[in-house]
Amino acid sequence: MTDVVDTEKGSIHGRSSDAVSQQVYERPTGLKGFYYHPLTQTSLLGFVCFMCPGLFNALNGLGGGGQVDNTTGANSNAAVYATFAFFAFFAGSINNKLGSRTTLMLGTTGYALYVGSYLAINIHPGAKGFVIAAGAILGICAGLLWTAQGALMMAYPTEGEKGKYIGVFWTIFNLGGVVGASVALGQNFQSKANSVGNGTYIGFLILTCLGVLIPLTMADPAKMIRTDGTKVATIRQPSWKSEFFGLYVALRTDPMILFLFPMFLASNWFYTWQFNDYNGAIFNIRARALNNLVYWTAQIVGSVAIGRLLDQPKLSRRVRAFSGWAVLFVCVFFVHIWAYFYQKTYTRASIPPESERLDIFSPGYTGKIFLYIFCGILDAMWQTNAYWLMGAMSNDPAKLAYFAGFYKSLQSAGAAGMWRADAVLIPYMNIFVSTWALLVAGLIFVLPMIHLRVKDHTEPQDDNLEEKVAEI
């Protein structure tokens, strides 16, 4: 049995001596200690997302799933995010009832089906309905996967390590995009066509199938001890009724999460313009594959950079929160002012599907790929900030599961709307302006939440959701 050491929670986090007393456990050593280390488990979590969502991102980053006609891909993604939005809202309850490992494994299964559907349409062009149906099934699975992922990633680190752990996860996760993009680039480097071959889809399919098995190797969260010796809270919900009631209680007892909702809504809204209306619209498949590679590589840089800022020990947590907001503000305007000058030079009518696109050796390509690099950096910084802010509100895995569900639900609702808007051929400029405007709105709304809700330490009353459910 793990030894217990009596100490004050304040001695761990530098809080006052009247802080609530909390048991501190001795961490295991050796190989067992390595396996049960929170960073090891966060890394395994990253590899789950490397194999599944990471490769999904690589495929979508090619524009239209690597197809000539973006419409089927846009409709499939609309189906993905529509079902994702609905099921993610309740996925926190499912996660708390089934457990994070089971929920995570169930969530991985839809990604292989989705990749396989693109292989099917490459072989049988009439299989468009299958691609859209696979997208709808993936949305259900993705809601489960991302909610379990968010709950674990935000619960495992101590308060002073959350930026680091999110950065490590985001780095490994986006290596999936990098590897997938590298495969696509290698397969299509000699091609000047506008779509990818079967070999690319087969490679993606094998890797996503491997991703289904990784959750089986992960530790039981109930056995996890943080680096400061505190145990990760065990989630015990007696019934589905209490779980769905807990969803309501999480909103009622912590309404400041509502100020994050516009930020959540914006967090996948911009993918439609970046992937389909910029990368997919003006570049050939070779250039799209290279753009995709640098985009996901840039995500690693962005997540690590903002993670270091958000964990800066010389700054209070409130100062770090405002600093992260300021970085996002500068990046949003820098990227979108630059992008506007490109977007105003083309429309849907000016580049029909079979027209010749920009190649990597075309004049003006260098500036356009550098814009795409900064788009990747902004994306990683935005997502990392969103997770960090949720983690600053609570350390309770049950509550964080609900927050992660809200995040992925709203994120997916926005994405579903924008992918459908692209499928019905809304003008590129309209999609671009809506993207810019929503990002700014997300930043404006999150400011009151940072001012009123982010504290230098998470207070005990901010956690223990189960007790609040029982009281109500």
Side-chain angles (χ1 to χ4, degrees):
M1 189 72 179
T2 307
D3 293 333
V4 179
V5 180
D6 290 326
T7 190
E8 292 290 321
K9 191 173 182 180
S11 66
I12 299 167
H13 298 299
R15 294 167 64 180
S16 60
S17 59
D18 59 349
V20 177
S21 182
Q22 181 171 317
Q23 288 183 335
V24 174
Y25 295 78
E26 183 179 341
R27 296 199 69 260
T29 58
L31 189 60
K32 183 178 180 181
F34 174 77
Y35 174 70
Y36 281 103
H37 195 286
L39 194 57
T40 302
Q41 293 300 311
T42 301
S43 299
L44 285 172
L45 190 60
F47 279 110
V48 172
C49 293
F50 173 110
M51 294 293 191
C52 296
L55 296 176
F56 167 85
N57 284 343
L59 189 61
N60 274 287
L62 291 170
Q67 298 291 304
V68 174
D69 182 5
N70 292 344
T71 304
T72 300
N75 278 324
S76 180
N77 282 332
V80 169
Y81 290 110
T83 54
F84 195 164
F86 178 79
F87 283 94
F89 196 82
F90 302 101
S93 300
I94 297 170
N95 175 78
N96 292 346
K97 183 65 178 177
L98 298 182
S100 294
R101 285 189 302 175
T102 302
T103 305
L104 195 66
M105 187 172 66
L106 289 173
T108 60
T109 57
Y111 289 90
L113 177 65
Y114 180 83
V115 173
S117 73
Y118 275 99
L119 176 61
I121 198 174
N122 236 28
I123 298 170
H124 303 288
K128 294 180 180 179
F130 178 42
V131 177
I132 295 170
I137 295 169
L138 172 58
I140 299 170
C141 295
L144 298 175
L145 181 145
W146 281 109
T147 299
Q149 173 272 334
L152 292 175
M153 185 182 67
M154 292 184 285
Y156 281 167
T158 62
E159 292 182 7
E161 296 176 327
K162 292 196 176 185
K164 172 186 173 182
Y165 277 56
I166 294 169
V168 167
F169 166 82
W170 211 256
T171 296
I172 298 172
F173 159 48
N174 282 304
L175 280 172
V178 171
V179 170
S182 299
V183 170
L185 180 61
Q187 289 273 345
N188 300 283
F189 189 76
Q190 300 301 326
S191 172
K192 294 187 179 180
N194 290 331
S195 63
V196 302
N198 290 344
T200 303
Y201 293 124
I202 292 170
F204 280 31
L205 183 58
I206 293 170
L207 292 173
T208 50
C209 287
L210 291 174
V212 177
L213 303 176
I214 298 177
L216 297 174
T217 69
M218 295 178 67
D220 182 352
K223 298 179 180 179
M224 292 298 298
I225 300 173
R226 299 186 183 96
T227 56
D228 63 359
T230 58
K231 255 196 169 184
V232 175
T234 304
I235 301 168
R236 295 187 182 90
Q237 295 292 351
S239 69
W240 287 106
K241 180 180 177 181
S242 67
E243 263 307 316
F244 287 116
F245 186 61
L247 187 70
Y248 158 73
V249 173
L251 278 173
R252 175 176 167 177
T253 58
D254 209 339
M256 295 303 293
I257 190 68
L258 295 172
F259 284 97
L260 286 176
F261 280 11
M263 187 181 199
F264 296 168
L265 188 67
S267 60
N268 270 14
W269 190 284
F270 45 72
Y271 282 159
T272 302
W273 184 82
Q274 291 176 1
F275 294 166
N276 270 20
D277 303 342
Y278 182 67
N279 195 33
I282 64 176
F283 301 99
N284 67 15
I285 193 62
R286 177 163 66 179
R288 283 154 63 183
L290 180 57
N291 294 349
N292 203 21
L293 174 60
V294 299
Y295 181 91
W296 297 113
T297 304
Q299 292 248 352
I300 296 171
V301 176
S303 62
V304 171
I306 198 69
R308 287 179 66 87
L309 172 63
L310 294 173
D311 275 349
Q312 186 56 244
K314 295 180 180 179
L315 302 175
S316 70
R317 187 156 72 172
R318 286 178 57 79
V319 170
R320 283 178 271 150
F322 282 111
S323 298
W325 183 94
V327 170
L328 286 183
F329 183 86
V330 171
C331 286
V332 164
F333 279 90
F334 173 74
V335 167
H336 288 84
I337 290 171
W338 186 356
Y340 170 77
F341 286 100
Y342 289 144
Q343 178 57 80
K344 71 177 186 176
T345 64
Y346 66 93
T347 64
R348 291 188 188 274
S350 70
I351 44 171
E354 297 296 341
S355 63
E356 186 174 349
R357 313 290 179 88
L358 281 174
D359 187 51
I360 59 177
F361 300 113
S362 298
Y365 175 73
T366 302
K368 291 180 173 63
I369 192 175
F370 269 99
L371 170 63
Y372 213 53
I373 289 170
F374 280 100
C375 285
I377 290 172
L378 173 60
D379 178 17
M381 288 186 169
W382 190 274
Q383 313 290 351
T384 302
N385 258 281
Y387 277 117
W388 187 87
L389 287 170
M390 286 185 283
M393 296 176 73
S394 178
N395 294 321
D396 181 357
K399 191 173 186 178
L400 291 171
Y402 293 130
F403 285 177
F406 297 150
Y407 172 45
K408 301 310 291 189
S409 179
L410 287 161
Q411 179 186 73
S412 302
M418 288 315 296
W419 284 113
R420 183 56 187 161
D422 191 53
V424 299
L425 308 181
I426 296 294
Y428 290 149
M429 183 60 81
N430 292 19
I431 291 176
F432 172 76
V433 171
S434 71
T435 296
W436 191 353
L438 186 58
L439 286 168
V440 174
L443 290 173
I444 292 171
F445 275 92
V446 82
L447 264 180
M449 177 270 170
I450 294 174
H451 176 67
L452 298 172
R453 183 67 178 78
V454 176
K455 304 169 186 175
D456 287 333
H457 300 286
T458 300
E459 301 298 334
Q461 59 265 30
D462 295 329
D463 291 329
N464 299 321
L465 186 64
E466 290 184 42
E467 294 179 9
K468 294 177 182 178
V469 171
E471 288 173 6
I472 296 176

